[in-house]
């Protein structure tokens, strides 16, 4: 089969690889009908996340048709059924899964020992996202093996198109969880850093949940335009001070809720801060750049909440712990507990409350994937979200 | 091969598209604010250092224990000033910042011999080399950020996202449409830890 394969930094190729096979009773094989390139795939493309190996198949946002099931799937899935696959692989039986904390499933990461060493305790296995999270082959391919398939799936109504439901596998529930974690109240100003795909989903979720003001911060004009279309007030941080503007919008008090939809590759608008982080990252004294976190902690209203859906992989430096502690801020973060939200979100899509396909700006064949990675990473051609068809 | 390209080949002029991106100036580059500021900072640094080298070349050479290098240091000062002015005046400073990287290499090669023989100021030479290494790292980062910057789209590919709300009705009409959603207490925190005013309102 054809698949997008990681070969090294900025080197992804469309290769022919062996077809996946059922390896365990609870596996299923899916014929992929649509897949997307996620912003967090770019951390692998740029090789900021450790743990990738040559030959790994990329992709964790995909959907398709069930073509084969293992004996242990026990009727939970049938051949021909159309499903979206959540990026977090879940067993559905461990203590964390039973509590709904699916992204920290205790059993699905087959490289648990490595994760235990890196994070203290393992987190869930993920598709196409390093050997730290199981080294599972990803979904930017013609076929994919889904482990624990009796639980790791989202069934979608036939009357909804692939593009309407594809993002249930990652960015829509990720944006939704980011907003829910912020405990949005009708009096709240919610500031969201990053107007990429997750930022776009987050700001729409915050609006649906009833925030008084949603403010989106970025420097890319077309992303800010899309954010305004979704009802956000926008701040172009290449042209104005984020802190000053947020204080102006909140009567000098700062936003009650701040959401980091950027993560480890943040670009500070302050040259010295950015140079400092880049140098430390280059000489491996830190792995992630924390400029958004610093700004959020600084500008957030005392007793406010910071929600962090943006992906971080390792260590950061110069976190203003004094401001965080003295202002009594709450931090809520984590990979998305996808299946916890998707029943509700499927209904909201079906009811016409939201159509997540608004974010798609580029459609291409799987073979064009390597070029699309570059287009997406470099924000060329007004690219915000790429959907690939195998 | 197009007519223009073959003419260019015949004239011996290099085809700009064949040069590495860090040697080519392209005003369409959409530099991030931090990269822009970093380039501006390096511009000021270049001019400041250049003026110092021109004015105090002899003193710097003596401090390095290399008194015969005074004239070279002053010449390098002129180079620094020219590079600073180049960065200041260019619509895309990428090749000028790349020139700074080459200049840094030249500086290091010039200072390195100060570590040989019986130079009593070897400590100062080491300090200078560490400083040069730091400046080189910043220059390389800036040059890479500039050359990797995305190009602004041409008018032809400019897409209009003003109608991409994702909502069937206007965004304002959808504000609060999901207020029926009950956030799970284990996600938003236990009741006792939530803001008093909200839980008791």
């Amino acid at each position: 089969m054809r698949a997008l394969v990681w070969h090294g930094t900025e080197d992804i190729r469309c290769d022919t690889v062996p077809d996946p096979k059922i390896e365990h009773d609870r596996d299923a094989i899916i014929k992929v009908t649509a897949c997307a390139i996620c912003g967090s795939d770019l951390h692998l493309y740029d090789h900021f996340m450790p743990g990738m190996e040559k030959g790994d198949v990329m992709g964790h946002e995909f959907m398709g048709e069930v073509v084969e099931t293992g004996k242990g799937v026990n009727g939970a899935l049938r051949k021909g059924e159309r499903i979206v696959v959540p990026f977090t692989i879940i067993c559905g039986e461990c203590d964390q899964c039973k509590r709904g904390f699916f992204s920290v499933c205790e059993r699905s990461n087959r490289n648990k020992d490595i994760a235990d060493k890196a994070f203290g305790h393992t987190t869930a296995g993920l598709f196409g996202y390093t050997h730290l999270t199981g080294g599972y082959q990803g979904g930017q391919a013609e076929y994919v093996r889904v482990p624990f398939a009796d639980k790791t799936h989202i069934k979608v109504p036939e009357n909804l198109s692939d593009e309407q439901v594809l993002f249930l596998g990652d960015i829509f529930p990720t944006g939704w969880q980011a907003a829910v974690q912020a405990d949005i109240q009708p009096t709240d100003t919610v500031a969201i850093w990053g107007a990429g795909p997750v930022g776009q989903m987050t700001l729409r979720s915050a609006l649906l949940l009833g925030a008084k003001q949603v403010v989106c911060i970025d420097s890319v004009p077309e992303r800010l335009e899309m954010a305004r279309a979704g009802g956000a007030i926008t701040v172009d941080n290449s042209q104005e001070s984020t802190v000053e503007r947020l204080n102006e919008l909140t009567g000098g008090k700062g936003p009650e809720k701040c959401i980091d939809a950027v993560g480890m590759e943040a670009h500070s608008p302050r040259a010295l801060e950015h140079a400092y982080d880049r140098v430390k990252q280059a000489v491996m004294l830190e792995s992630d750049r924390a400029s958004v976190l610093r700004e959020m902690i600084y500008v957030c209203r005392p007793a406010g909440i910071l929600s962090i859906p943006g992906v971080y992989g390792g260590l950061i430096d110069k976190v203003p712990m004094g401001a965080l502690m003295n202002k009594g801020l709450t931090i809520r973060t984590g990979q998305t507990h996808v299946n916890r939200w998707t029943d509700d979100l499927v209904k909201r899509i079906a009811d016409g409350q939201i159509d997540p396909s608004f974010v798609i700006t580029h459609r291409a064949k799987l073979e064009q994937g390597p070029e699309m990675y570059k287009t997406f990473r470099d924000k060329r051609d007004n690219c915000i979200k790429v959907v690939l068809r195998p | 091969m197009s007519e223009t390209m073959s003419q260019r080949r015949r004239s011996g002029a290099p085809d700009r598209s064949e040069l590495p991106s860090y040697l080519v100036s392209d005003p369409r580059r959409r530099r991030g604010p931090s990269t822009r500021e970093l380039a501006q900072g390096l511009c000021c640094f270049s001019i400041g250092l250049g003026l110092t080298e021109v004015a105090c070349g002899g003193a710097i050479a003596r401090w390095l224990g290399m008194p015969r290098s005074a004239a070279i240091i002053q010449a390098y000062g002129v180079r620094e000033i020219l590079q600073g002015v180049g960065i200041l005046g260019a619509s895309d400073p990428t090749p000028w910042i790349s020139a700074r990287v080459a200049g840094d290499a030249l500086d290091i090669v010039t200072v390195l011999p100060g570590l040989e023989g019986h130079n009593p100021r070897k400590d100062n030479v080491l300090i200078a080399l560490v400083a040069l290494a730091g400046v080189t790292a910043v220059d390389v980062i800036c040059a890479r950020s500039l050359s990797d910057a995305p190009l602004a789209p041409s008018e032809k590919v400019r897409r209009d996202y003003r109608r991409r709300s994702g909502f069937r009705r206007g965004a304002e009409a959808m504000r609060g449409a999901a207020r029926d959603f009950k956030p799970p207490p284990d996600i938003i925190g236990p009741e006792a830890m939530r803001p008093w005013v909200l839980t008791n309102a």
Side-chain angles (χ1 to χ4, degrees):
Chain A
M1 69 166 185
R2 304 290 283 166
L4 297 187
V5 176
W6 190 90
H7 284 267
T9 309
E10 297 180 9
D11 186 2
I12 284 171
R13 303 175 202 167
C14 188
D15 290 345
T16 300
V17 299
D19 286 357
K21 289 179 184 151
I22 298 283
E23 293 175 20
H24 299 285
D25 285 352
R26 291 176 70 185
D27 289 354
I29 304 293
I30 306 299
K31 182 180 186 214
V32 178
T33 54
C35 55
I37 304 177
C38 181
S40 50
D41 285 329
L42 298 181
H43 304 318
L44 309 179
Y45 182 67
D46 291 331
H47 206 183
F48 281 114
M49 285 289 283
M52 286 299 280
E53 290 175 11
K54 257 187 183 180
D56 287 345
V57 176
M58 298 286 296
H60 57 266
E61 198 167 30
F62 58 97
M63 63 178 298
E65 186 186 314
V66 179
V67 291
E68 194 180 349
T69 55
K71 281 180 254 170
V73 174
N74 285 337
L77 284 177
R78 283 187 300 277
K79 279 183 195 174
E81 243 178 334
R82 183 166 162 259
I83 59 167
V84 174
V85 181
F87 75 98
T88 43
I89 302 168
I90 58 172
C91 74
E93 293 168 346
C94 69
D95 287 346
Q96 296 288 11
C97 281
K98 281 179 188 164
R99 296 169 64 201
F101 296 141
F102 297 118
S103 76
V104 287
C105 170
E106 294 167 334
R107 291 175 55 197
S108 61
N109 186 351
R110 59 185 176 183
N111 292 334
K112 182 179 178 299
D113 293 349
I114 307 175
D116 280 344
K117 279 182 191 145
F119 298 142
H121 299 283
T122 189
T123 55
L126 307 178
F127 289 98
Y129 215 78
T130 82
H131 287 258
L132 198 63
T133 54
Y136 292 102
Q137 300 299 287
Q140 288 164 6
E142 288 178 300
Y143 295 90
V144 63
R145 177 177 78 92
V146 177
F148 300 104
D150 54 322
K151 298 291 177 190
T152 308
H153 68 262
I154 303 154
K155 290 188 182 176
V156 286
E158 284 302 320
N159 62 330
L160 297 178
S161 70
D162 279 8
E163 292 189 351
Q164 281 178 296
V165 295
L166 172 62
F167 304 130
L168 285 166
D170 185 351
I171 59 170
F172 187 23
T174 296
W176 182 260
Q177 180 176 304
V180 169
Q181 282 180 162
D183 190 12
I184 290 169
Q185 303 296 321
T187 50
D188 281 348
T189 294
V190 181
I192 298 161
W193 276 255
V198 168
Q200 299 288 346
M201 295 296 167
T202 306
L203 76 89
R204 282 159 179 82
S205 301
L207 188 114
L208 287 171
L209 289 166
K212 185 179 86 177
Q213 289 191 113
V214 180
V215 187
C216 192
I217 301 130
D218 205 302
S219 63
V220 182
E222 59 271 18
R223 295 180 177 215
L224 291 172
E225 186 175 274
M226 191 181 271
R228 281 193 293 276
I233 297 165
T234 56
V235 177
D236 181 347
N237 64 0
S238 69
Q239 305 296 324
E240 56 185 330
S241 158
T242 304
V243 172
E244 281 176 22
R245 184 91 169 97
L246 287 175
N247 280 330
E248 184 191 306
L249 287 166
T250 54
K253 293 184 170 185
E256 288 92 342
K257 311 292 160 64
C258 294
I259 301 179
D260 172 1
V262 177
M264 65 196 293
E265 290 188 64
H267 285 79
S268 170
R270 293 166 292 280
L272 270 180
E273 184 186 8
H274 183 64
Y276 171 83
D277 278 329
R278 282 299 285 119
V279 169
K280 287 205 80 170
Q281 201 174 30
V283 297
M284 290 191 269
L285 286 174
E286 68 176 4
S287 57
D288 307 356
R289 305 196 291 261
S291 59
V292 166
L293 284 178
R294 292 183 197 118
E295 200 162 61
M296 287 201 328
I297 292 169
Y298 185 74
V299 77
C300 189
R301 187 176 298 200
I305 294 174
L306 312 178
S307 169
I308 308 172
V311 172
Y312 288 85
L315 306 173
I316 54 173
D317 187 20
K318 300 285 180 290
V319 175
M321 197 62 204
L324 180 76
M325 185 270 163
N326 284 287
K327 288 166 81 174
L329 303 180
T330 299
I331 294 182
R332 296 199 178 114
T333 184
Q335 296 280 8
T336 312
H337 309 304
V338 178
N339 290 67
R340 185 152 185 177
W341 317 114
T342 44
D343 287 351
D344 179 71
L345 295 180
V346 167
K347 277 187 209 147
R348 292 184 193 280
I349 296 171
D351 290 349
Q353 216 170 72
I354 186 166
D355 177 359
S357 67
F358 75 88
V359 78
I360 303 169
T361 56
H362 287 65
R363 295 169 176 87
K365 291 180 178 168
L366 186 70
E367 289 73 20
Q368 295 169 283
E371 181 54 32
M372 283 293 117
Y373 262 90
K374 196 160 176 52
T375 301
F376 182 35
R377 198 274 309 266
D378 294 344
K379 303 178 181 70
R380 287 182 190 171
D381 191 26
N382 293 175
C383 184
I384 297 179
K385 187 72 178 177
V386 180
V387 169
L388 302 170
R389 295 274 184 180
Chain B
M1 191 184 291
S2 73
E3 183 66 17
T4 336
M5 199 181 283
S6 54
Q7 278 171 1
R8 202 182 291 133
R9 288 276 160 81
R10 278 198 296 274
S11 70
D15 179 0
R16 281 165 57 89
S17 65
E18 289 174 3
L19 292 171
S21 60
Y22 53 85
L23 293 180
V24 180
S25 177
D26 190 337
R28 292 175 303 158
R29 282 200 174 105
R30 275 197 320 201
R31 289 163 276 148
S34 55
T35 311
R36 200 165 49 223
E37 275 187 36
L38 186 58
Q40 282 166 359
L42 287 171
C43 163
C44 298
F45 175 75
S46 207
I47 293 171
L49 179 64
L51 289 172
T52 310
E53 285 180 331
V54 169
C56 314
I60 295 170
R62 285 194 298 280
W63 182 77
L64 289 169
M66 305 165 71
R68 287 186 196 167
S69 302
I72 295 175
I73 290 171
Q74 284 171 325
Y76 285 0
V78 174
R79 186 200 73 214
E80 289 278 0
I81 293 168
L82 287 175
Q83 284 169 342
V85 172
I87 297 167
L88 196 64
S91 55
D92 172 24
T94 310
W96 290 100
I97 298 287
S98 300
R100 277 193 51 80
V101 177
D104 293 335
L106 202 59
D107 289 345
I108 290 169
V109 169
T110 306
V111 174
L112 264 178
L115 289 175
E116 294 171 357
H118 300 289
N119 183 357
R121 302 283 172 86
K122 278 183 185 169
D123 289 351
N124 292 351
V125 173
L126 268 178
I127 291 169
L129 283 170
V130 169
L132 281 168
V135 172
T136 307
V138 175
D139 283 335
V140 168
I141 286 166
C142 188
R144 279 202 60 174
S145 303
L146 284 167
S147 58
D148 289 347
L151 299 181
S154 68
E155 284 305 312
K156 280 183 188 169
V157 297
R158 178 78 180 85
R159 294 156 191 257
D160 185 355
Y161 296 150
R162 282 175 296 181
R163 291 178 184 276
R164 298 249 187 161
S165 75
F167 302 128
R168 192 179 289 167
R169 290 180 286 147
E172 204 46 52
M174 298 307 291
R175 191 182 300 275
R179 280 206 185 112
D180 59 316
F181 179 79
K182 298 275 176 262
D186 59 328
I187 295 288
I188 59 171
E191 192 78 1
M193 289 183 70
R194 300 183 67 201
W196 188 86
V197 174
L198 294 175
T199 52
N200 296 281

